[in-house]
Amino acid sequence: MSSPAERHAAAQHAAQHPQTQAFAAGQRFGLDPFQVDACQALERGRSVLVAAPTGAGKTIVGEFAIHLAMQAAGDKAFYTTPMKALSNQKFRELVEVYGADQVGLLTGDTNINGGARIVVMTTEVLRNMLYAGSDTLRGLRYVVMDEVHYLADRFRGPVWEEVILHLPQEVRLISLSATVSNAEEFGDWLDTVRGDTDVIVSETRPVPLEQHVLVPDGLLPLFDERAGTAAAQVNRELFRIRSSRDSRSERFAGRQGRGRGRHDGRHAPRGPRPGRSERMDRPEAVRLLERSNLLPAIFFIFSRVGCDAAVQQVRRSGIRLTTSDERNEIRAFVAERTRSLQDEDLDVLGFWQWRDDLERGVAAHHAGLLPAFKEVVEELFRRKLVKVVFATETLALGINMPARTVVLEKMEKFNGEARVPITSGEYTQLTGRAGRRGIDIEGHAVVQWSDGMDPQAVASLASRRTYPLNSSFRPTYNMAVNLIDRFGRARAREILESSFAQFQADRAVVGLARKVKDAEESLAGYAKAMHCEHGDFLDYAGIRRELSDLEKKNRRDAAGPRAAREKRMRKIQSLRTRLQRHACHRCPDREAHARWAERYYSLKRDTDRIRRQIENRTGTVARTFDRVIDVLQIVDYLQGDGDDLALTDAGQTMRRIYGERDLLVAESLRQRLWRNLDAPSLAAMASCLVYEPRRDEQGMGERGLPRGAFRIAYDATMRLWAELDDIEHDNSLPRTEPLAPGLAAAMHSWTRGGSLDRVLIDADMAAGDFVRWAKQTIDLLDQLSIVSNDAELARTARRALDGVRRGIVAYAGV
């Protein structure tokens, strides 16, 4: 217990932060120390980076920044998130606190009250505002960047750095991150580019997490409770189970081998089948959690098909986890949230079966699910009406769906190329959903037993917190023209050299430079050790080394061209003569000196390699920027020389085109390749530019594409892509992906008014996937309607946009 003097000091300190005190008094829970520290730092006018576990309450700090903004007339606060679903959720929460007139939402396809004092948006929307110099930025005082560790995302991560670098200096930044192992490094960079940034790290979960293993006979603790939490010893019973299963498998294999010897394999003895996992099945696992009062639970299954199959298994088992009153409440909520969807579409989406599953208290949650359905699942789970959700890992990315228990069915996942073990960071993120503050006294993480499981490896994942945040920043064509237009080339290079990517590269260079310095000291010692009074032994060792390399090459290439061998022999003879005539050749300590020389040359080779690494890392981002500038000059988007660059008309158009294929889109517009397309064909073309095919679609060709004007425009656009691809290759830039036509036929049909069932068959994808790509198609069509200098094409883009935005695509969950 604190002393009276300590309590008096704490009271005095709190009195210096009246806004923090007032805000804390209005919260459901008392603020944790890290939350208090962050809020007080904001009240002192500083920016903050808060890194804390999932569910620890980081967003409270962002909400305090909004509270501060609302205390001063005219001040604004923006709350940015990486996903539209998160933006929608935060918008609803803030409307409940401040009222609909004070809160806006901007997510690309949704625009609600954009001039409000509090605006929730995706990070891309804020980036676009900054480049456009939007009037909406007037009065902006605070920007909350939720899930800022998304900065490491290969595709979308660079947007976070763009925002951080371009926000006006007077704006205070509230960066909220999952627990990362290099928070101090990221905080140092933020302090460098934003100034006055406090780094606040918390490793403490507000609800303790109990770790279990689901074995065939029930739940076992992962750690030996008798050893105490500090010792964190793995439960010995798990090792015993593993040992007994391994020995049983070996005995069975031995019996099978003997059986085959006697009976030619036709009468194998009965027993457990090899390769067959003795796991508790899903319905039984659900019943066990229900009996143990461990619901609601999220089962993480790294497969959409697996999630849907799990729901079917539970349904077939007859499990019902809800009461009659709960079922009535679920049915009423579902009816209210899906009333805007047409009956024929609901039939296609399997609505009736889905609703029946919900009424049983069970649901799936994955990216293939219609967004409207996902929102229903999320809300019913939060209301404790749905008790079990089978989900892919996307659920772990920030959506507010805490559970009492999280179950991991497997400890590996498919990463697009191979099955790989999950990382400790992923384990922490997934199990972070377990434990509801104010409801549970503890959360529960359950790993399902599988054959070959190593309990020690699971324990290592559960006890480690290694999740480094690494930049994925790279200059794009759109970024380049915006920077040149606003700042000029020299200042643009300075800005890019301030990126976190370069900051990390330079930090690495510091370590490499230290290695070089240490190596140089060793090289000096080796040179001293091989000093020879007869002459320059380093020169002698160089001749000897070159001779040895040539002799080895000559032996390997004994059957090579005669002329080359003769030339090499003459060189060898020359080196032998030089070696024998060298003053050091007569030194009695020659071989001792030679051993030091070998060490010298080996270390020098490694040191030269490190020096090349340093040269490659220093200024890497700016060098890439220079190559991007070179390409833009070749295609006439920039004119001028050196630092004196200006945007051409095409460059001005490029400023407002955002996406992976920005240069291809801009150049297609300039060359008017799409001028003869009607609305469905333009929508199909836009889908080719935003769609990312699955791995199993790669190289499937262009069968089924719309004919006529579309095919002509498509072929012309592909020829243009090939030309730009050659230019990028010649300038040592990563190549832009070619068009992806896998969705074109379905998008053409949908825009023409085709039925949902036909379109989903043509697209060969789930409704949720189709909606996601349709919304990205809408986003590009919207850009075309704004930036195109061809008035007719702009009108066609608007008609295409209206054609795509209908039915399930038009559904707005907010």
Side-chain angles (χ1 to χ4, degrees), residues 215-217 220 236-246 248 449:
V215 298
D217 301 324
L220 285 177
R236 285 169 290 187
E237 180 68 11
L238 295 171
F239 290 111
R240 188 193 65 73
I241 292 172
R242 184 186 185 195
S243 176
S244 67
R245 300 222 184 281
D246 287 349
R248 200 185 315 171
W449 181 271

Side-chain angles (χ1 to χ4, degrees), residues 235-443:
N235 189 342
R236 285 169 290 187
E237 180 68 11
L238 295 171
F239 290 111
R240 188 193 65 73
I241 292 172
R242 184 186 185 195
S243 176
S244 67
R245 300 222 184 281
D246 287 349
S247 61
R248 200 185 315 171
S249 180
E250 287 171 12
R251 287 198 302 274
F252 171 68
R255 288 198 304 272
Q256 262 209 326
R258 291 194 297 275
R260 278 194 297 272
R262 289 195 301 270
H263 305 292
D264 196 26
R266 286 174 294 198
H267 302 287
R270 293 181 180 274
R273 297 180 187 175
R276 198 178 181 91
S277 176
E278 293 190 38
R279 297 162 61 97
M280 183 180 289
D281 67 21
R282 286 161 178 157
E284 193 178 345
V286 170
R287 288 191 182 99
L288 172 65
L289 295 182
E290 184 184 25
R291 288 195 305 270
S292 305
N293 194 28
L294 292 177
L295 298 181
I298 299 171
F299 283 68
F300 279 111
I301 303 173
F302 301 117
S303 150
R304 298 179 185 183
V305 173
C307 292
D308 294 332
V311 173
Q312 291 175 24
Q313 287 172 341
V314 173
R315 180 174 66 243
R316 286 196 299 268
S317 74
I319 287 177
R320 193 177 289 278
L321 304 170
T322 53
T323 65
S324 176
D325 287 344
E326 287 174 331
R327 290 194 287 277
N328 290 334
E329 189 176 345
I330 289 169
R331 185 174 286 245
F333 180 78
V334 170
E336 191 269 324
R337 292 300 290 269
T338 59
R339 66 178 185 273
S340 63
L341 298 174
Q342 299 176 6
D343 285 348
E344 56 266 33
D345 288 349
L346 292 176
D347 285 338
V348 173
L349 297 167
F351 170 80
W352 315 107
Q353 186 67 72
W354 172 73
R355 188 183 68 179
D356 182 65
D357 293 334
L358 290 175
E359 290 179 20
R360 290 176 180 273
V362 181
H365 188 289
H366 53 70
L369 205 61
L370 189 70
F373 286 13
K374 276 199 294 187
E375 290 172 15
V376 167
V377 171
E378 291 160 12
E379 185 57 32
L380 290 177
F381 192 80
R382 280 194 290 272
R383 294 186 184 189
K384 295 179 265 184
L385 295 171
V386 165
K387 320 290 185 178
V388 172
V389 169
F390 296 97
T392 56
E393 62 188 307
T394 54
L395 181 60
L397 300 175
I399 297 289
N400 181 24
M401 276 183 67
R404 176 165 295 170
T405 304
V406 163
V407 180
L408 302 185
E409 286 206 347
K410 293 183 179 178
M411 300 303 287
E412 59 177 25
K413 65 174 187 175
F414 187 68
N415 68 357
E417 296 179 357
R419 298 207 69 81
V420 296
I422 64 172
T423 65
S424 58
E426 289 167 334
Y427 183 92
T428 302
Q429 188 85 352
L430 294 166
T431 57
R433 294 273 148 225
R436 299 163 298 174
R437 191 169 188 174
I439 301 174
D440 301 319
I441 59 172
E442 60 193 16

Side-chain angles (χ1 to χ4, degrees), residues 42 239 289 312 331 456 460 547 782:
L42 281 172
F239 290 111
L289 295 182
Q312 291 175 24
R331 185 174 286 245
Q456 187 62 58
S460 297
L547 176 60
D782 187 44

Side-chain angles (χ1 to χ4, degrees), residues 11 48 82 133 176 180 184 225 306 378 403 439 457 477 486 514 533 559-560 564 623 636 646 715 739 764:
V48 293
L176 308 178
V180 293
E184 286 74 15
E225 295 164 335
E378 291 160 12
I439 301 174
Y477 298 112
R486 291 187 66 196
R514 192 176 297 117
E533 294 180 355
R623 281 203 302 277
D636 199 30
D715 290 343
L739 274 67
D764 188 25

Side-chain angles (χ1 to χ4, degrees), residues 39-331:
C39 291
Q40 290 181 348
L42 281 172
E43 193 170 353
R44 293 195 304 272
R46 300 178 67 81
S47 294
V48 293
L49 165 64
V50 181
T54 301
K58 298 182 290 290
T59 55
I60 284 287
V61 182
E63 289 163 12
F64 177 67
I66 294 170
H67 168 83
L68 287 178
M70 297 303 284
Q71 305 309 303
D75 280 5
K76 290 182 180 178
F78 288 173
Y79 197 108
T80 73
T81 77
M83 296 184 294
K84 292 176 183 178
L86 274 177
S87 294
N88 293 344
Q89 188 177 90
K90 201 68 202 176
F91 170 76
R92 288 192 291 266
E93 292 173 5
L94 291 171
V95 165
E96 287 179 14
V97 177
Y98 293 101
D101 59 326
Q102 296 290 348
V103 186
L105 176 67
L106 299 172
T107 61
D109 59 351
T110 304
N111 186 337
I112 301 172
N113 199 17
R117 291 180 62 192
I118 306 166
V119 185
V120 183
M121 61 186 70
T122 52
T123 318
E124 283 85 353
V125 169
L126 179 53
R127 185 271 312 272
N128 299 352
M129 275 187 192
L130 288 166
Y131 280 150
S134 171
D135 289 340
T136 310
L137 296 167
R138 263 201 214 112
L140 182 61
R141 292 293 173 266
Y142 299 94
V143 167
V144 182
M145 301 194 79
D146 202 355
E147 308 284 337
V148 76
H149 49 273
Y150 249 82
L151 180 142
D153 184 79
R154 187 164 65 93
F155 296 106
R156 299 178 59 204
V159 175
W160 270 254
E161 290 192 48
E162 288 181 81
V163 168
I164 292 167
L165 290 170
H166 297 316
L167 274 173
Q169 282 299 315
E170 66 272 13
V171 174
R172 296 294 88 190
L173 191 65
I174 300 88
S175 304
L176 308 178
S177 170
T179 305
V180 293
S181 51
N182 60 335
E184 286 74 15
E185 178 188 42
F186 185 49
D188 286 349
W189 174 68
L190 287 171
D191 193 70
T192 301
V193 296
R194 303 293 315 163
D196 296 338
T197 300
D198 285 1
V199 179
I200 294 151
V201 177
S202 173
E203 295 281 357
T204 306
R205 283 177 49 95
V207 180
L209 187 65
E210 294 290 319
Q211 310 274 352
H212 312 272
V213 178
L214 183 61
V215 298
D217 301 324
L219 280 175
L220 285 177
L222 173 59
F223 295 105
D224 190 339
E225 295 164 335
R226 293 166 298 182
T229 54
Q233 291 179 4
V234 181
N235 189 342
R236 285 169 290 187
E237 180 68 11
L238 295 171
F239 290 111
R240 188 193 65 73
I241 292 172
R242 184 186 185 195
S243 176
S244 67
R245 300 222 184 281
D246 287 349
S247 61
R248 200 185 315 171
S249 180
E250 287 171 12
R251 287 198 302 274
F252 171 68
R255 288 198 304 272
Q256 262 209 326
R258 291 194 297 275
R260 278 194 297 272
R262 289 195 301 270
H263 305 292
D264 196 26
R266 286 174 294 198
H267 302 287
R270 293 181 180 274
R273 297 180 187 175
R276 198 178 181 91
S277 176
E278 293 190 38
R279 297 162 61 97
M280 183 180 289
D281 67 21
R282 286 161 178 157
E284 193 178 345
V286 170
R287 288 191 182 99
L288 172 65
L289 295 182
E290 184 184 25
R291 288 195 305 270
S292 305
N293 194 28
L294 292 177
L295 298 181
I298 299 171
F299 283 68
F300 279 111
I301 303 173
F302 301 117
S303 150
R304 298 179 185 183
V305 173
C307 292
D308 294 332
V311 173
Q312 291 175 24
Q313 287 172 341
V314 173
R315 180 174 66 243
R316 286 196 299 268
S317 74
I319 287 177
R320 193 177 289 278
L321 304 170
T322 53
T323 65
S324 176
D325 287 344
E326 287 174 331
R327 290 194 287 277
N328 290 334
E329 189 176 345
I330 289 169
R331 185 174 286 245

